[in-house]
């Protein structure tokens, strides 16, 4: 007969109940602390203290916490690199380097002095202890991500500084460890440098190529997710083999995969969801379980060590943030953001104290004794609390008011964006939805309309196929945390149904697939596109892609003369800039000198940064694509014009022939910009447009 007594024995050992307790903590800690206006990350750590073996002994820190904790640790560093805006990082790389050096050397100096003068530690123990202060973990980064402030200048500087100071702290750890295991010879350091450099080069140059090939060949959501995680742990494992901590490899993998995983994409949503829902909370709970509260009650030494460590770490990080603010004349809230992100000690700090605790010196004592181990955990707890509170406050201030350094996306106009996507061809649905996700305003959680038009002459089977296409489109959009509206319309023709829906739902843009020619007599665009262009003045994007848009290596845009005078000029420039920034591609505009000036102004307003190049061309031809070479991994964008518009030229009539001849295999997007609604105006260039 089975007894239920084991259920109430502590600590709980049954895997089912262990996992249930952890899930309950992950669920209710944010709800409870949210009412108290305390960041929920603190709740995870405090919950770990309460349920751990040094608290109520409900759970012990078994192998599951070690496994999930390691995954969570890697995940934090990986997401920090993945969500970092690489263009902002390039613009602020010098500031990030300066902050990284300040946030390393100031804690090192203050840490060595305080350890030797106040705690009486030896030189090597003091150096290792100081390196723990110098390193920091972006434990509060999920807060920044939740507020959508990852492109904020102070955040970018903090992340850049993290890479610098963590690398230097891990070098100090390797140096001290090498001195005691007898490997700290000149040859050892040469080998370490060569191995780390070689592996870093493999991650930087080989991983992106493998990623592009994989994403082009496989579009299964589960396979892509597992593939990315495999690269993260491969990078971390390789760096570990070289003699450094794997968190550095995870951060590096996040940076190199950044252009391949757009911020608004189904894959990014899945990666963030799994990390923030399971792995990162598991890590935080595991950190809290290490704290031994009783050691501070039993004697004063551990408490003294904890106080000195916490004050030294916090003060040195604040000084580094304050100096960075003064050097670059930043706002006080930017200083608070930098301090908040850089104050938390966890990843490299835990690695250093555990390594130091295992080292036995010649006199038989540990390099870092039990008091330091317990003091480190208290320091981690308090610095994480300070970090999350300061980061939360800074994020709220930035959200309420547009403080200096805020980086925001810009609307193409005051009108709310709504992108209409006809989904007749199931093979093109995913690429069309992904294009819409790349160009849409990231602040909107809706704005996509998937349309299925059923011709009155079609049978019931066509309606069922259309319903499946709508569901597929909605699923892809929802995977990126974007709500897609599904519409089915019966009409006398497909083009009529699309045009009427544009008016009914007030769509601002239309994204359609390029017509596939069925015979030699068929036109390049087909009658459908032509009828849509005649029936609406809204922006229309005609797309033909041979690969997923997140794997593009560049965008080449050809712009006709006088394009800047079109009503929709700012809108399509903004959309292309968003696509370039989110895919990490350089965009090259070919236009006349006059148009280049307008392009540069519009692109600057769209936060394109240094990703845009401008190539002036003569004004004798509307589109200069004859003889041009566009790479297989680039997107060719041709800005067209409707007949009768100010930028229209009769030479556009030969555009289809040139595209068919020279760019038959290229990734192609043809943009017809928005115009003033000319429904009631009869144009001499197209007098039958409204008939």
């Amino acid at each position: 007969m089975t007894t239920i007594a084991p259920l109430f024995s502590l600590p709980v050992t049954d895997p089912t109940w262990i996992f249930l307790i952890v899930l309950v903590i992950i669920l209710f800690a944010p709800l409870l602390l949210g009412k108290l206006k305390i960041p929920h990350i603190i709740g995870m750590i405090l919950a770990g203290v309460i349920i751990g073996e040094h608290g109520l002994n409900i759970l012990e820190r078994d192998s599951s916490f070690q496994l999930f904790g390691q995954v969570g640790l890697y995940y934090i560093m990986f997401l920090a690199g993945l969500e970092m805006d690489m263009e902002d990082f390039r613009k602020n790389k010098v500031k990030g380097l300066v902050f990284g050096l300040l946030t390393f050397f100031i804690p090192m100096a203050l840490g060595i002095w305080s350890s030797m003068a106040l705690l009486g530690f030896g030189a090597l123990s003091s150096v290792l202890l100081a390196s723990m202060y110098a390193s920091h973990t972006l434990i509060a980064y999920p807060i920044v991500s939740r507020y959508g402030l990852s492109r904020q200048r102070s955040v970018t500087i903090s992340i850049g500084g993290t890479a610098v100071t963590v690398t230097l702290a891990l070098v100090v750890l390797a140096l001290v460890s090498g001195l005691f295991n007898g490997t700290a010879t000149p040859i050892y350091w040469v080998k370490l440098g060569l191995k780390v450099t070689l592996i870093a080069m493999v991650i930087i140059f080989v991983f992106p190529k493998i990623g592009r090939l994989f994403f082009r060949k496989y579009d299964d959501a589960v396979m892509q997710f597992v593939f990315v995680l495999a690269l993260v742990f491969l990078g971390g494992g390789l760096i570990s083999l070289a003699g450094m901590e794997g968190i550095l490899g995870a951060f590096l993998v996040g940076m190199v995969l950044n252009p391949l995983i757009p911020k608004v994409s189904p894959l990014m949503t899945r990666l963030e969801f799994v990390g923030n829902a399971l792995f990162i909370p598991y890590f935080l709970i595991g950190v809290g379980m290490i704290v031994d509260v009783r050691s501070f009650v039993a004697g004063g030494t551990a408490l003294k060590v904890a106080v000195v460590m916490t004050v030294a770490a916090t003060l040195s990080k604040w000084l580094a943030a304050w100096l960075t603010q003064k050097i670059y004349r930043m706002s006080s809230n930017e200083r608070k953001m930098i301090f908040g992100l850089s104050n938390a000690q966890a990843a490299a700090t835990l690695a250093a104290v555990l390594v130091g605790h295992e080292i036995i010196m010649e006199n038989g004592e540990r390099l870092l004794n039990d008091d330091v181990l317990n003091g480190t955990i208290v320091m981690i707890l308090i610095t994480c609390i300070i970090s999350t509170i300061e980061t939360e406050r800074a994020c709220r201030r930035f959200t309420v008011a547009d403080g200096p350094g805020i980086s925001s996306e810009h609307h193409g106009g005051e009108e709310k964006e709504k992108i209409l996507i006809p989904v007749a061809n199931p093979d093109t649905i995913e690429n069309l939805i992904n294009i819409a996700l790349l160009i849409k305003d990231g602040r909107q959680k809706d704005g996509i309309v998937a349309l299925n038009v059923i011709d009155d002459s079609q049978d019931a089977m066509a309606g069922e196929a259309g319903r499946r296409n709508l569901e597929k489109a909605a699923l892809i959009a929802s995977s990126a945390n974007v709500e897609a509206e599904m519409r089915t319309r019966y009409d006398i023709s497909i083009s009529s149904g699309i045009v009427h829906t544009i008016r009914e739902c007030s769509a601002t843009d239309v994204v359609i697939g390029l017509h596939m020619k069925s015979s030699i007599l068929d036109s390049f665009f087909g009658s459908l596109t032509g009828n849509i262009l005649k029936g609406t003045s809204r922006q229309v994007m005609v797309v033909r892609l041979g690969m997923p848009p997140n794997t593009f290596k560049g965008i080449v845009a050809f712009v006709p003369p006088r394009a800047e005078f079109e009503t929709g000029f700012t809108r399509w420039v903004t959309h292309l800039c968003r696509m370039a920034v989110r895919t990490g591609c350089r965009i090259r505009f070919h236009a006349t000198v006059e148009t280049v000036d307008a392009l540069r102004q519009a692109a600057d307003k769209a936060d394109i940064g240094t990703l845009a190049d401008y190539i002036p061309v003569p004004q004798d031809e509307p589109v200069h694509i004859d003889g041009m070479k566009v790479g297989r991994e680039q997107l060719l964008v041709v800005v067209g014009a409707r007949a009768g518009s100010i930028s229209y030229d009769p030479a556009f009539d030969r555009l289809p022939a040139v595209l068919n001849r020279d760019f038959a295999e290229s990734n192609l997007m043809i943009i017809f910009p928005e115009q003033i609604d000319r429904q009631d105006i009869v144009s001499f260039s197209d007098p039958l447009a409204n008939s």
Side-chain angles (χ1 to χ4, degrees):
M1 183 174 175
T2 305
T3 177
I4 61 172
L7 176 62
F8 299 100
S9 62
L10 298 179
V12 177
T13 56
D14 186 280
T16 303
W17 292 103
I18 291 175
F19 202 69
L20 174 63
I21 292 171
V22 171
L23 290 179
V24 169
I25 293 172
I26 295 173
L27 175 63
F28 287 104
L31 296 177
L32 177 62
L33 293 177
K35 293 182 178 180
L36 301 175
K37 299 187 185 228
I38 299 175
H40 69 270
I41 291 177
I42 298 174
M44 303 296 174
I45 299 175
L46 291 177
V49 175
I50 294 171
I51 68 170
E53 58 184 308
H54 302 301
L56 299 179
N57 197 28
I58 297 174
L59 298 178
E60 61 181 1
R61 198 171 185 271
D62 58 11
S63 57
S64 68
F65 282 95
Q66 296 174 10
L67 172 62
F68 280 89
Q70 186 75 359
V71 175
L73 188 56
Y74 277 37
Y75 229 106
I76 289 175
M77 300 303 293
F78 168 65
L79 287 180
L82 189 63
E83 295 187 352
M84 183 169 56
D85 187 274
M86 297 307 295
E87 179 56 27
D88 285 347
F89 178 72
R90 281 188 284 266
K91 288 191 294 185
N92 295 299
K93 60 184 177 182
V94 175
K95 296 182 179 69
L97 176 61
V98 170
F99 170 65
L101 294 176
L102 289 173
T103 200
F104 175 77
F105 285 110
I106 292 177
M108 284 295 295
L110 186 58
I112 292 173
W113 173 82
S114 62
S115 298
M116 297 181 72
L118 301 180
L119 299 178
F121 290 157
L124 277 178
S125 298
S126 299
V127 169
L128 186 57
L129 204 56
S131 73
M132 292 161 50
Y133 306 158
S135 68
H136 60 255
T137 303
L138 297 169
I139 206 86
Y141 189 80
I143 298 174
V144 175
S145 179
R146 176 160 48 88
Y147 277 91
L149 297 173
S150 58
R151 292 190 62 190
Q152 213 277 338
R153 179 175 63 170
S154 55
V155 175
T156 307
I157 292 173
S158 300
I159 294 174
T162 300
V164 174
T165 192
V166 169
T167 302
L168 294 175
L170 293 177
V171 169
V172 172
L173 175 60
L175 172 62
V176 174
S177 178
L179 288 174
F180 280 93
N181 60 24
T183 60
T185 62
I187 296 178
Y188 167 78
W189 291 112
V190 172
K191 287 183 178 179
L192 177 64
L194 289 176
K195 286 189 293 185
V196 172
T197 301
L198 177 62
I199 291 172
M201 291 300 102
V202 170
I203 294 175
I204 292 171
F205 295 108
V206 177
F207 278 29
K209 294 183 182 296
I210 297 174
R212 277 194 172 87
L213 290 174
F214 187 90
F215 290 144
R216 286 171 187 165
K217 192 170 184 180
Y218 302 102
D219 58 1
D220 181 78
V222 175
M223 291 181 66
Q224 288 186 350
F225 178 83
V226 174
F227 169 76
V228 170
L229 283 192
L231 287 185
V232 172
F233 284 90
L234 176 59
L238 290 175
I239 290 291
S240 297
L241 287 177
M244 302 286 281
E245 285 298 316
I247 55 175
L248 193 60
F251 179 74
L252 194 57
V253 171
M255 291 183 66
V256 301
L257 293 184
N258 186 296
L260 297 178
I261 307 176
K263 305 296 182 294
V264 184
S265 67
L267 181 56
M268 175 64 86
T269 303
R270 295 184 187 103
L271 289 168
E272 291 180 328
F273 173 79
V274 174
N276 293 325
L278 186 61
F279 293 135
I280 294 176
Y282 234 110
F283 164 70
L284 296 172
I285 294 171
V287 168
M289 294 174 71
I290 302 176
V291 178
D292 185 0
V293 180
R294 291 170 295 185
S295 65
F296 304 104
V297 180
T301 306
L303 184 60
K304 177 183 177 182
V305 171
V307 171
V308 171
M309 291 178 66
T310 303
V311 172
T314 302
L315 178 60
S316 60
K317 290 297 181 181
W318 186 88
L319 287 173
W322 179 78
L323 281 175
T324 303
Q325 176 204 1
K326 295 303 179 183
I327 291 172
Y328 294 109
R329 299 181 180 179
M330 303 170 74
S331 69
S332 60
N333 203 44
E334 286 181 299
R335 182 199 68 229
K336 291 176 182 177
M337 177 72 85
I338 294 174
F339 169 66
L341 286 173
S342 63
N343 188 51
Q345 312 287 320
T349 303
L350 279 174
V353 73
L354 293 176
V355 170
H357 189 259
E358 294 299 320
I359 294 176
I360 307 297
M361 298 185 292
E362 294 180 355
N363 59 6
E365 296 181 357
R366 296 182 182 275
L367 182 63
L368 298 180
N369 57 32
D370 292 341
D371 290 336
V372 175
L373 179 62
N374 288 321
T376 300
I377 302 305
V378 172
M379 179 186 69
I380 289 174
L381 176 63
I382 295 177
T383 56
C384 285
I385 291 174
I386 295 173
S387 173
T388 49
I389 291 176
E390 283 296 295
T391 304
E392 182 90 26
R393 287 176 177 174
C395 286
R396 287 179 179 175
R397 290 192 184 99
F398 276 128
T399 303
V400 171
D402 290 336
I406 278 287
S407 219
S408 62
E409 293 181 297
H410 295 262
H411 289 279
E414 293 300 323
E415 187 177 14
K416 183 179 179 180
E417 287 184 347
K418 185 169 285 189
I419 304 173
L420 179 69
I421 306 173
V423 292
N425 185 353
D427 296 331
T428 62
I429 291 175
E430 184 164 4
N431 280 338
L432 294 180
I433 294 292
N434 284 331
I435 286 290
L437 292 173
L438 288 174
I439 68 173
K440 73 181 291 294
D441 188 340
R443 295 171 294 185
Q444 290 183 214
K445 294 304 180 183
D446 56 2
I448 292 181
V449 180
L451 173 65
N452 172 44
V453 180
I454 302 176
D455 194 317
D456 288 338
S457 62
Q458 291 179 318
D459 55 21
M461 293 299 294
E464 179 62 23
R467 184 185 62 80
R468 290 195 297 270
N469 290 342
L470 287 176
E471 291 175 350
K472 180 178 180 180
L475 180 62
I476 296 170
S478 64
S479 299
N481 200 27
V482 174
E483 182 180 352
E485 178 184 350
M486 296 187 292
R487 288 200 175 206
T488 298
R489 182 185 183 89
Y490 291 85
D491 214 307
I492 58 173
S493 68
I494 303 298
S495 58
S496 175
I498 294 174
V499 170
H500 290 152
T501 306
I502 291 172
R503 298 172 186 169
E504 290 171 0
C505 70
S506 301
T508 56
D509 308 89
V510 182
V511 179
I512 60 175
L514 181 62
H515 165 72
M516 301 296 293
K517 293 182 65 174
S518 58
S519 68
I520 194 171
L521 298 177
D522 203 357
S523 65
F524 180 78
F525 289 109
S527 59
L528 174 64
T529 302
N531 290 335
I532 293 174
L533 291 174
K534 290 179 180 179
T536 182
S537 61
R538 294 300 194 176
Q539 176 175 286
V540 177
M541 290 182 167
V542 185
V543 181
R544 180 190 67 198
L545 301 182
M547 62 181 64
N550 61 303
T551 61
F552 292 151
K553 284 189 174 180
I555 301 173
V556 182
F558 293 92
V559 186
R562 301 180 300 279
E564 66 272 24
F565 298 108
E566 298 284 3
T567 304
F569 175 75
T570 302
R571 180 181 294 279
W572 68 257
V573 174
T574 301
H575 286 168
L576 289 185
C577 290
R578 286 175 183 164
M579 186 185 301
V581 169
R582 290 168 180 171
T583 59
C585 292
R586 295 200 67 81
I587 180 169
R588 191 170 73 239
F589 291 102
H590 294 257
T592 62
V593 175
E594 294 80 5
T595 304
V596 160
D597 292 337
L599 282 169
R600 184 176 282 108
Q601 294 179 21
D604 288 343
K605 290 180 181 178
D607 292 333
I608 190 63
T610 61
L611 288 176
D613 297 317
Y614 306 92
I615 313 298
V617 297
Q619 198 165 354
D620 55 344
E621 289 286 343
V623 183
H624 298 262
I625 61 175
D626 290 309
M628 294 294 297
K629 298 294 182 184
V630 177
R632 187 176 62 87
E633 297 176 325
Q634 292 180 314
L635 173 66
L636 170 63
V637 178
V638 178
V639 181
R642 292 173 173 84
S645 65
I646 191 170
S647 61
Y648 179 77
D649 190 284
F652 276 120
D653 295 340
R654 66 182 183 86
L655 178 61
V658 176
L659 293 175
N660 259 335
R661 184 190 68 210
D662 298 334
F663 306 99
E665 303 298 326
S666 299
N667 301 295
L668 179 64
M669 174 187 289
I670 305 172
I671 300 176
F672 294 90
E674 179 185 6
Q675 292 182 287
I676 297 175
D677 195 346
R678 305 173 65 87
Q679 270 190 314
D680 300 326
I681 303 175
V682 178
S683 170
F684 284 104
S685 64
D686 193 3
L688 301 179
N690 298 298
S691 61

